[in-house]
mmCIF file with all atom_site columns, all heavy atoms in Angstrom:
data_model
loop_
_atom_site.group_PDB
_atom_site.id
_atom_site.type_symbol
_atom_site.label_atom_id
_atom_site.label_alt_id
_atom_site.label_comp_id
_atom_site.label_asym_id
_atom_site.label_entity_id
_atom_site.label_seq_id
_atom_site.pdbx_PDB_ins_code
_atom_site.Cartn_x
_atom_site.Cartn_y
_atom_site.Cartn_z
_atom_site.occupancy
_atom_site.B_iso_or_equiv
_atom_site.pdbx_formal_charge
_atom_site.auth_seq_id
_atom_site.auth_comp_id
_atom_site.auth_asym_id
_atom_site.auth_atom_id
_atom_site.pdbx_PDB_model_num
ATOM 1  N N   . PHE U 1 32  ? -17.442 -2.980  -18.368 1.00 96.00 ? 32  PHE U N   1
ATOM 2  C CA  . PHE U 1 32  ? -16.739 -1.753  -17.981 1.00 96.00 ? 32  PHE U CA  1
ATOM 3  C C   . PHE U 1 32  ? -16.594 -0.808  -19.171 1.00 96.00 ? 32  PHE U C   1
ATOM 4  O O   . PHE U 1 32  ? -16.903 0.383   -19.087 1.00 96.00 ? 32  PHE U O   1
ATOM 5  C CB  . PHE U 1 32  ? -15.368 -2.115  -17.411 1.00 96.00 ? 32  PHE U CB  1
ATOM 6  C CG  . PHE U 1 32  ? -14.394 -0.965  -17.358 1.00 96.00 ? 32  PHE U CG  1
ATOM 7  C CD1 . PHE U 1 32  ? -14.589 0.103   -16.504 1.00 96.00 ? 32  PHE U CD1 1
ATOM 8  C CD2 . PHE U 1 32  ? -13.263 -0.963  -18.189 1.00 96.00 ? 32  PHE U CD2 1
ATOM 9  C CE1 . PHE U 1 32  ? -13.684 1.158   -16.454 1.00 96.00 ? 32  PHE U CE1 1
ATOM 10 C CE2 . PHE U 1 32  ? -12.364 0.084   -18.149 1.00 96.00 ? 32  PHE U CE2 1
ATOM 11 C CZ  . PHE U 1 32  ? -12.574 1.154   -17.280 1.00 96.00 ? 32  PHE U CZ  1
ATOM 12 N N   . LEU U 1 37  ? -18.197 4.099   -22.140 1.00 97.00 ? 37  LEU U N   1
ATOM 13 C CA  . LEU U 1 37  ? -18.496 4.700   -23.440 1.00 97.00 ? 37  LEU U CA  1
ATOM 14 C C   . LEU U 1 37  ? -19.898 5.290   -23.482 1.00 97.00 ? 37  LEU U C   1
ATOM 15 O O   . LEU U 1 37  ? -20.137 6.272   -24.199 1.00 97.00 ? 37  LEU U O   1
ATOM 16 C CB  . LEU U 1 37  ? -18.318 3.665   -24.553 1.00 97.00 ? 37  LEU U CB  1
ATOM 17 C CG  . LEU U 1 37  ? -16.885 3.213   -24.827 1.00 97.00 ? 37  LEU U CG  1
ATOM 18 C CD1 . LEU U 1 37  ? -16.855 2.142   -25.917 1.00 97.00 ? 37  LEU U CD1 1
ATOM 19 C CD2 . LEU U 1 37  ? -16.007 4.406   -25.213 1.00 97.00 ? 37  LEU U CD2 1
ATOM 20 N N   . LYS U 1 45  ? -10.088 7.555   -25.278 1.00 96.00 ? 45  LYS U N   1
ATOM 21 C CA  . LYS U 1 45  ? -9.175  8.407   -26.031 1.00 96.00 ? 45  LYS U CA  1
ATOM 22 C C   . LYS U 1 45  ? -8.492  9.388   -25.087 1.00 96.00 ? 45  LYS U C   1
ATOM 23 O O   . LYS U 1 45  ? -7.286  9.635   -25.193 1.00 96.00 ? 45  LYS U O   1
ATOM 24 C CB  . LYS U 1 45  ? -9.932  9.159   -27.120 1.00 96.00 ? 45  LYS U CB  1
ATOM 25 C CG  . LYS U 1 45  ? -10.461 8.274   -28.250 1.00 96.00 ? 45  LYS U CG  1
ATOM 26 C CD  . LYS U 1 45  ? -11.194 9.104   -29.290 1.00 96.00 ? 45  LYS U CD  1
ATOM 27 C CE  . LYS U 1 45  ? -11.736 8.216   -30.401 1.00 96.00 ? 45  LYS U CE  1
ATOM 28 N NZ  . LYS U 1 45  ? -12.487 9.003   -31.420 1.00 96.00 ? 45  LYS U NZ  1
ATOM 29 N N   . VAL U 1 65  ? -8.682  -3.657  -0.502  1.00 97.00 ? 65  VAL U N   1
ATOM 30 C CA  . VAL U 1 65  ? -8.380  -2.234  -0.335  1.00 97.00 ? 65  VAL U CA  1
ATOM 31 C C   . VAL U 1 65  ? -7.847  -1.608  -1.631  1.00 97.00 ? 65  VAL U C   1
ATOM 32 O O   . VAL U 1 65  ? -6.719  -1.115  -1.685  1.00 97.00 ? 65  VAL U O   1
ATOM 33 C CB  . VAL U 1 65  ? -7.383  -2.001  0.816   1.00 97.00 ? 65  VAL U CB  1
ATOM 34 C CG1 . VAL U 1 65  ? -8.070  -2.072  2.154   1.00 97.00 ? 65  VAL U CG1 1
ATOM 35 C CG2 . VAL U 1 65  ? -6.230  -3.008  0.762   1.00 97.00 ? 65  VAL U CG2 1
ATOM 36 N N   . TYR U 1 101 ? 9.710   7.719   -10.016 1.00 98.00 ? 101 TYR U N   1
ATOM 37 C CA  . TYR U 1 101 ? 8.929   8.112   -11.190 1.00 98.00 ? 101 TYR U CA  1
ATOM 38 C C   . TYR U 1 101 ? 7.763   9.022   -10.791 1.00 98.00 ? 101 TYR U C   1
ATOM 39 O O   . TYR U 1 101 ? 7.494   10.035  -11.439 1.00 98.00 ? 101 TYR U O   1
ATOM 40 C CB  . TYR U 1 101 ? 8.392   6.869   -11.900 1.00 98.00 ? 101 TYR U CB  1
ATOM 41 C CG  . TYR U 1 101 ? 7.675   7.179   -13.190 1.00 98.00 ? 101 TYR U CG  1
ATOM 42 C CD1 . TYR U 1 101 ? 8.380   7.478   -14.348 1.00 98.00 ? 101 TYR U CD1 1
ATOM 43 C CD2 . TYR U 1 101 ? 6.279   7.183   -13.249 1.00 98.00 ? 101 TYR U CD2 1
ATOM 44 C CE1 . TYR U 1 101 ? 7.727   7.774   -15.537 1.00 98.00 ? 101 TYR U CE1 1
ATOM 45 C CE2 . TYR U 1 101 ? 5.613   7.482   -14.430 1.00 98.00 ? 101 TYR U CE2 1
ATOM 46 C CZ  . TYR U 1 101 ? 6.346   7.768   -15.573 1.00 98.00 ? 101 TYR U CZ  1
ATOM 47 O OH  . TYR U 1 101 ? 5.691   8.067   -16.736 1.00 98.00 ? 101 TYR U OH  1
ATOM 48 N N   . GLY U 1 132 ? 7.667   -19.420 4.870   1.00 96.00 ? 132 GLY U N   1
ATOM 49 C CA  . GLY U 1 132 ? 8.403   -19.614 3.630   1.00 96.00 ? 132 GLY U CA  1
ATOM 50 C C   . GLY U 1 132 ? 9.164   -18.367 3.235   1.00 96.00 ? 132 GLY U C   1
ATOM 51 O O   . GLY U 1 132 ? 9.644   -17.606 4.082   1.00 96.00 ? 132 GLY U O   1
ATOM 52 N N   . THR U 1 180 ? 14.294  8.697   2.338   1.00 96.00 ? 180 THR U N   1
ATOM 53 C CA  . THR U 1 180 ? 14.879  8.408   1.027   1.00 96.00 ? 180 THR U CA  1
ATOM 54 C C   . THR U 1 180 ? 15.455  9.673   0.400   1.00 96.00 ? 180 THR U C   1
ATOM 55 O O   . THR U 1 180 ? 14.945  10.780  0.596   1.00 96.00 ? 180 THR U O   1
ATOM 56 C CB  . THR U 1 180 ? 13.829  7.820   0.066   1.00 96.00 ? 180 THR U CB  1
ATOM 57 O OG1 . THR U 1 180 ? 12.805  8.796   -0.185  1.00 96.00 ? 180 THR U OG1 1
ATOM 58 C CG2 . THR U 1 180 ? 13.210  6.556   0.638   1.00 96.00 ? 180 THR U CG2 1
#
Side-chain angles (χ1 to χ4, degrees):
F32 163 68
L37 291 178
K45 292 180 181 179
V65 281
Y101 185 77
T180 64

